[in-house]
Structures are given as C-alpha cells and as structure tokens.
Amino acid sequence: MSPPSKLSFLTLPAFDTAAPAGAPRWSTTSYGDTTDTGPQELTALGEHVSRCRADSSRFSRLHCGAVAVHGLVAARFVTTLAVVTALIGAALLVI
C-alpha cells in the first residue's frame, strides 16, 4: 500500500447520480415504441411546471435577491466592514 499523496485533499468525492426521492421520473427513450407522451409523463411534467411557477413567486425573487446580497457581502467581508464604518463615521460627523 502506497503512502497518501500530498495532494490527496484535492480529490473530489464521488457524486451520487441517483434521482432524489420524490423526483419525477421519465425516460427519454422509446425502446422501439411510439414516441408519444404517456399520462404518467404528462402528470409528472404538470407537477414540475407547478413547482416552477410557485418558485417564481414574489418571495422567491426576494430570496434570490437576499442570496445575491449575502454572496456579495460574504465575499468582501472586510471591504463591507470598512464601507459601513466609513458611512457611520461620515454620518456622525454630519450630525
């Protein structure tokens, strides 16, 4: 057995390619049959579209905006602190 590599921390974990529980299941192959959509596929597609429409609600947009702001602030934490401190200092000088 060989010793572990110094770069072993760079290896990626194996990804689970199985569909999550409750996910819609449909196949893109027809196995020699006609390529018409079946009732189960249409039902799964309808449920998927309903979930997507619900996700595009007002609160979803608000959540996406909050995630974007969090990403900006988290990536530039020190800069954000410096800007906030400068704004508070400027506001106190004006008052």
Side-chain angles (χ1 to χ4, degrees):
M1 186 160 143
S2 64
S5 168
K6 291 181 182 178
L7 299 177
S8 63
F9 65 92
L10 293 177
T11 58
L12 296 174
F15 291 102
D16 184 17
T17 58
R25 295 184 183 272
W26 54 78
S27 175
T28 57
T29 60
S30 64
Y31 299 111
D33 295 333
T34 61
T35 57
D36 294 334
T37 54
Q40 292 175 334
E41 293 172 326
L42 291 175
T43 301
L45 181 61
E47 290 172 0
H48 174 77
V49 169
S50 295
R51 277 194 304 264
C52 287
R53 283 187 185 147
D55 287 343
S56 65
S57 68
R58 174 179 58 207
F59 294 112
S60 177
R61 282 184 248 141
L62 181 65
H63 173 73
C64 289
V67 168
V69 169
H70 179 265
L72 179 73
V73 171
R76 295 161 185 84
F77 184 70
V78 173
T79 305
T80 303
L81 285 178
V83 168
V84 169
T85 303
L87 289 174
I88 291 173
L92 290 175
L93 285 176
V94 172
I95 294 176

